[in-house]
């Protein structure tokens, strides 16, 4: 990643301070520390839903299926489905 390389060069040969490099490249200090630690950014962690994976999607799919079985006057419009 070119940005990490530029930040490392600026830290080593230019500014010399993490805060100065962060201000110059308009990034967080954490990102400058990651650039100094390695050439590639760390792998992002996968965050699971508190109640299991994709709980909201399962709930919406269930509502959509129940709407398919109901009469035409009882069907909830897609834009109102999320407001339920």
């Amino acid at each position: 990643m070119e940005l990490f390389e530029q930040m490392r060069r600026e830290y080593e040969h230019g500014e010399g301070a993490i805060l100065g490099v962060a201000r110059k490249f308009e990034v967080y200090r954490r990102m400058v520390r990651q650039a100094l630690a390695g050439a590639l950014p760390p792998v992002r962690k996968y965050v699971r839903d508190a109640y299991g994976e994709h709980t909201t999607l399962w709930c919406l799919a269930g509502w959509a299926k129940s709407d398919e079985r109901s009469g035409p006057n009882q069907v909830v419009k897609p834009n109102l489905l999320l407001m339920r």
Side-chain angles (χ1 to χ4, degrees), residues 11-72:
Y11 180 79
E12 293 170 358
H13 302 292
E15 188 68 37
I18 292 176
L19 183 59
V21 175
R23 285 183 180 159
K24 180 176 181 180
F25 289 101
E26 298 178 356
V27 295
Y28 290 109
R29 290 178 294 168
R30 180 185 314 146
M31 187 175 263
V32 177
R33 288 188 184 102
Q34 290 172 355
L36 296 175
L40 295 175
V43 179
R44 290 182 178 235
K45 296 179 182 176
Y46 178 72
V47 179
R48 289 187 50 185
D49 195 3
Y51 298 104
E53 293 185 12
H54 311 292
T55 311
T56 309
L57 295 177
W58 285 105
C59 187
L60 291 175
W63 287 340
K65 279 188 179 181
S66 68
D67 285 344
E68 287 175 3
R69 286 183 258 133
S70 62

